[in-house]
Amino acid sequence: MKHKILVVDDSALMRKYLRQMLETQDDFEVHTARDGEDALRQIRELDPDVVTLDINMPVMDGLTCLSHIMTEFPRPVVMVSSLTEKGALATFEALELGAVDYLPKPDGTVSLRIKDLTDELVAKVRAALRAKRRPRRKTRAREEGLPKRSVGGRASPKSSTRPSTASPAEWAAAEEGVVLIGVSTGGPRTLEEILPELPADFPLPVLVAQHMPGKFTRVFAERLNRQCALRVAEVGGPTPLEPGTAWIARGDADVVVSRRKGRLVALSVPADERFLWHPSVERMVRSALDHVPPERLIAVELTGMGNDGAEAMAEVHRRGGRTVAESEETAVVFGMPRELIELGGASAVLPADQIAEQLVEWALGQSPAEGRGAARA
């Protein structure tokens, strides 16, 4: 059975390259469109299974076209965007509108090195063929407006899914721990459902490895910081892991947990090519196991292709830590969480909209059996 793929780009050279890249697959039937209006006409006629969509185009740009697709002809869309800050901002807007994933052009609008990404493009299109489309869920932060900043620059816990029951002093006295989140395809939208639901005084630091290019992660961290009660930032130099903060690993690198002067820190380090994806979830979790008692770790495996982090999180589970696998019902791509479940490494299997509440319960000292959605792995 042939899968119909529609490539939309205003550059004839890019259309040619993208078509050749996809036609390496015997089961892909590839068509092209020169702009957004042409794309909408062809979607009506061809009914493609997946659309790859450029952002910067004349006549009708990619974001406008995407909004029409999601409203009139919902189907998986992979954005093809420039590897720039402007391209990152537009890409996150596209993901919010409903795009499944994105492919960054290495050299800007017309990229002569795009063919270097053939395997990645094919993998993303295949993931899009399997991806589920689900409506955007409004968090309380979105429904009620952005959280107000209070003394010290922290946001009020207005967007929390539940009131906290421990004082900051009690939390400060607790033994060090950390929440580790691994995520790939479909991750930005999923993280934007989970992190804004954590209170500003969440008692554990949060460290996120989201597979993403380096020029995108700072923009993504800034975007999350505007939405969350937690302070959110990209990991730069040695970064103390403190409660009430969420740190996004820098793209095109790895992040590891270490200790400096007795304190837990996150370090951005060169990507280790022994690992397939970056920032590597597997490397992040294994480094945390070297420096934090397993019972003080909470590891979360969210939507994504492949198995990055599954073995390390299963090890956390075996050694007494707590783990969550996102359930199939909400995972855009059920690859990474499924691997964790099949390894018997999930303390709980939960839809995305229940994960923040579970994290709060565990962080406040409840056992996995007491937490919502007890282990079903």
Side-chain angles (χ1 to χ4, degrees), residues 26 33-34 41 119 202 239 264 267 290:
D26 293 338
R34 63 182 179 275
R41 284 193 295 270
D119 290 345
F202 185 69
T239 303
L264 279 182
L267 304 175
D290 290 338

Side-chain angles (χ1 to χ4, degrees), residues 180 207 255-258 281-292:
L180 305 164
L207 186 58
V255 67
V256 296
V257 176
S258 186
V281 183
E282 188 77 12
R283 189 178 183 189
M284 173 184 72
V285 177
R286 292 202 177 279
S287 71
L289 279 167
D290 290 338
H291 296 282
V292 183

Side-chain angles (χ1 to χ4, degrees), residues 257-325:
V257 176
S258 186
R259 284 193 180 273
R260 293 285 177 90
K261 298 181 180 179
R263 298 181 64 190
L264 279 182
V265 297
L267 304 175
S268 183
V269 296
D272 186 334
E273 296 309 316
R274 291 176 297 176
F275 299 96
L276 184 58
W277 298 278
H278 304 284
S280 169
V281 183
E282 188 77 12
R283 189 178 183 189
M284 173 184 72
V285 177
R286 292 202 177 279
S287 71
L289 279 167
D290 290 338
H291 296 282
V292 183
E295 64 272 14
R296 294 294 298 165
L297 292 175
I298 300 174
V300 183
E301 189 82 304
L302 299 177
T303 175
M305 297 183 289
N307 63 354
D308 189 20
E311 291 187 3
M313 290 192 189
E315 181 69 14
V316 170
H317 179 72
R318 284 192 294 271
R319 291 170 60 180
R322 296 163 174 149
T323 57
V324 178

Side-chain angles (χ1 to χ4, degrees), residues 199-236:
D201 48 5
F202 185 69
L204 296 173
V206 179
L207 186 58
V208 179
Q210 157 76 67
H211 299 162
M212 189 175 281
K215 292 185 179 179
F216 281 38
T217 44
R218 180 180 61 80
V219 175
F220 184 43
E222 291 171 353
R223 176 184 173 89
L224 284 168
N225 190 52
R226 292 191 292 269
Q227 298 175 357
C228 294
L230 298 172
R231 184 169 74 92
V232 185
E234 181 188 54
V235 176

Side-chain angles (χ1 to χ4, degrees), residues 140-142 144-164 168 171 195-202 224-231 244:
R140 290 188 189 178
R142 288 193 181 87
E144 300 174 9
L146 293 177
K148 295 178 181 178
R149 297 287 166 183
S150 58
V151 177
R154 293 278 181 85
S156 69
K158 178 179 178 181
S159 65
S160 169
T161 57
R162 54 171 284 171
S164 58
W171 288 342
L195 294 182
E197 294 298 301
L198 297 177
D201 48 5
F202 185 69
L224 284 168
N225 190 52
R226 292 191 292 269
Q227 298 175 357
C228 294
L230 298 172
R231 184 169 74 92

